[in-house]
Structures are given as C-alpha cells and as structure tokens.
Amino acid sequence: MALTQKELGYISDELASEQLIIKKYQTAVNQVTDPQLKNLFQKNISIHQNHYNSLLNLLR
C-alpha cells in the first residue's frame, strides 16, 4: 500500500523533529558534567535515533 502525500508529509515532519531532538540531546551531553545526566541524555539519543530509523524505514 502506497503512502499518500499527506502521510509522507507527516513522516517528513516527524523525521525533522527527531533530528532536532537528537541534536539538542547531543548538545546537552556535551555541556553537562554530571555522569547520570550524560547517561540519561545518551539513552534518549538512542531512543530518538531508533524512532528516526523506524520512520525512515517506512519510506523504503
């Protein structure tokens, strides 16, 4: 089943959102010194990277 243009637009918007979230967490990882916060932010990066990859797979 092919995706509609509207659905492709939603996926594109979500991909952009996930990229922005990942960049913000990466910036936070580079700025904090607390190891627990670094670990938390890195886990969140991984979660959002997985979301991004899942969305990208929808387009393939």
Side-chain angles (χ1 to χ4, degrees):
M1 182 171 124
L3 297 171
T4 67
Q5 287 293 26
K6 193 171 192 174
E7 291 168 330
L8 290 172
Y10 288 144
I11 293 171
S12 177
D13 289 347
E14 285 302 314
L15 284 168
S17 294
E18 291 295 341
Q19 282 182 320
L20 180 61
I21 292 166
I22 291 166
K23 285 180 186 178
K24 287 183 181 252
Y25 276 125
Q26 286 171 334
T27 299
V29 165
N30 294 332
Q31 292 178 348
V32 299
T33 56
D34 184 316
Q36 288 180 318
L37 281 177
K38 270 189 190 290
N39 188 34
L40 177 65
F41 293 154
Q42 288 169 333
K43 284 181 182 178
N44 284 323
I45 289 170
S46 180
I47 290 167
H48 288 282
Q49 186 64 56
N50 287 338
H51 289 169
Y52 180 87
N53 292 339
S54 294
L55 290 167
L56 200 56
N57 286 333
L58 288 174
L59 300 177
R60 293 184 178 144

